[in-house]
Amino acid sequence: MSKLSKTERKEEHIQSIERELANLKKKNAELQQQKIVRLNDEQLQSFLDDLTQRIEWSTNRIVDEAPRSIAVEPQENQKSDGVSYFIKWSIAILFFTVAIAIAYSLYSIWGEFWDTGWANRVALFIVAIAGFDCAALGIEILKEKDRNYIISLFSALVALVALIVALLK
């Protein structure tokens, strides 16, 4: 009976080894599907630099091979556009006129408001600053060369006037 038990033990041992072998094969198959790569800082930096360089080369190649059918040329003579030139001068004259009107009204009422208290003095300074701002805006608009900016400024000014008219009615 001891011989039989020895053979049984050996068979059990063989079966356990076969189970371990099957488990190892299963783990090996899982490891082949999942690969873990460990990099130190130098290797990681080298990899990222190489990747960045490849992306730049690829981007440069795409940009260089793109057709050059669309060409952007700067406008040389902005004064030839009569509408934007007229609008530029109109807006500048409007701001200068407002600045002159503010200056004249301040000159005529300064004495009355100055003697009535601090609140009116502060109001006089705020209106004076608004007058200087209008004059500065007129100068800046005359210096402006971009016609799209001038047209958008005119559009914003018309929208502001329309808003004021709508609020008054």
Side-chain angles (χ1 to χ4, degrees), residues 158-169:
V158 169
L160 180 65
V161 170
L163 177 68
I164 292 170
V165 169
L167 288 175
L168 290 177
K169 294 209 176 209

Side-chain angles (χ1 to χ4, degrees), residues 95-149:
F95 278 113
F96 285 133
T97 305
V98 170
I100 290 170
I102 289 173
Y104 178 74
S105 64
L106 280 177
Y107 177 74
S108 64
I109 63 168
W110 189 271
E112 297 172 25
F113 277 82
W114 189 260
D115 296 333
T116 57
W118 284 102
N120 288 335
R121 289 178 186 172
V122 170
L124 285 173
F125 280 117
I126 290 173
V127 173
I129 290 172
F132 287 124
D133 284 344
C134 285
L137 282 171
I139 292 170
E140 288 298 318
I141 288 171
L142 286 178
K143 288 181 182 178
E144 186 60 46
K145 302 290 184 206
D146 186 13
R147 73 175 187 166
N148 293 331
Y149 174 75

Side-chain angles (χ1 to χ4, degrees), residues 2-3 21 31 34 41 46 54 56 69 74 80 84 90 93 95 104 113 120 126 129 141 143 147 157 163 165 167-168:
S2 65
K3 284 188 179 183
L21 183 62
L31 286 176
Q34 297 177 356
D41 290 339
S46 173
R54 286 182 184 186
E56 287 176 359
S69 61
S80 64
S84 65
S90 298
I93 289 172
F95 278 113
Y104 178 74
F113 277 82
N120 288 335
I126 290 173
I129 290 172
I141 288 171
K143 288 181 182 178
R147 73 175 187 166
L157 191 62
L163 177 68
V165 169
L167 288 175
L168 290 177

Side-chain angles (χ1 to χ4, degrees), residues 33-139:
Q33 290 176 357
Q34 297 177 356
K35 297 192 179 186
I36 299 172
V37 177
R38 299 188 195 284
L39 301 173
N40 63 17
D41 290 339
E42 292 174 11
Q43 291 171 330
L44 180 63
Q45 188 61 39
S46 173
F47 173 75
L48 291 176
D49 290 342
D50 186 43
L51 183 62
T52 303
Q53 189 175 24
R54 286 182 184 186
I55 290 172
E56 287 176 359
W57 285 342
S58 175
T59 305
N60 289 341
R61 192 185 79 224
I62 290 170
V63 169
D64 290 341
E65 291 177 1
R68 303 285 177 161
S69 61
I70 300 172
V72 178
E73 297 178 8
Q75 294 181 352
E76 296 168 2
N77 190 3
Q78 294 268 338
K79 291 185 179 179
S80 64
D81 184 18
V83 174
S84 65
Y85 191 70
F86 173 74
I87 289 174
K88 176 170 77 169
W89 274 97
S90 298
I91 294 173
I93 289 172
L94 173 73
F95 278 113
F96 285 133
T97 305
V98 170
I100 290 170
I102 289 173
Y104 178 74
S105 64
L106 280 177
Y107 177 74
S108 64
I109 63 168
W110 189 271
E112 297 172 25
F113 277 82
W114 189 260
D115 296 333
T116 57
W118 284 102
N120 288 335
R121 289 178 186 172
V122 170
L124 285 173
F125 280 117
I126 290 173
V127 173
I129 290 172
F132 287 124
D133 284 344
C134 285
L137 282 171
I139 292 170

